[in-house]
Amino acid sequence: QVQLVESGGGLVQPGGSLRLACAASGKIFRINHMGWYRQAPGKERELVAAITSAGSTTYADSVKGRFTISRDNAKNTMYLQMNSLKAEDTAVYYCNVNSEVDPYSGNYYYWGQGTQVTVSS
């Protein structure tokens, strides 16, 4: 099993910045792709950004140019640098990881518990 712990959320004013982190631990043979999702009240969970094991990235149109996803494979940790934050970025942010516990058992998806990001003046 893999445990994911997110950190870095909080309250920030419009135009401000936050950096989220997602640390994976447990029985990890390999981490494949990783991603950040968010869910605002009354809305469906949506993909914000994703990164492959090779470092290729994908972003939602709404965050392109403002958010940057990265990962530190040595630490099994993923980051989301969020700049120029807007009120509409307010949501609970979740990390999602696809990983393998060994070379033979296939790969599985895991979710973090979520961290609240509130953008308000």
Side-chain angles (χ1 to χ4, degrees):
Q1 296 297 324
V2 173
Q3 294 78 44
L4 302 176
V5 177
E6 297 130 334
S7 60
L11 173 64
V12 63
Q13 292 185 342
S17 297
L18 283 175
R19 189 190 194 209
L20 306 183
C22 172
S25 62
K27 191 174 182 182
I28 299 172
F29 170 70
R30 177 165 51 218
I31 294 180
N32 299 315
H33 43 275
M34 310 175 79
W36 288 99
Y37 289 73
R38 68 185 180 187
Q39 187 167 19
K43 295 187 177 182
E44 294 186 354
R45 190 172 297 189
E46 63 174 357
L47 176 67
V48 176
I51 185 167
T52 68
S53 57
S56 296
T57 58
T58 301
Y59 296 94
D61 288 343
S62 59
V63 307
K64 283 181 181 177
R66 300 188 298 122
F67 291 10
T68 302
I69 189 172
S70 61
R71 61 191 285 174
D72 184 333
N73 291 328
K75 296 181 179 179
N76 289 333
T77 300
M78 171 179 63
Y79 304 96
L80 185 68
Q81 178 67 44
M82 304 186 294
N83 299 328
S84 302
L85 283 161
K86 305 175 181 180
E88 49 264 43
D89 295 318
T90 296
V92 178
Y93 284 70
Y94 299 89
C95 67
N96 177 260
V97 166
N98 179 274
S99 69
E100 302 168 35
V101 297
D102 58 51
Y104 317 107
S105 302
N107 58 81
Y108 298 88
Y109 286 93
Y110 300 90
W111 288 95
Q113 81 285 355
T115 185
Q116 176 70 46
V117 171
T118 302
V119 184
S120 176
S121 55

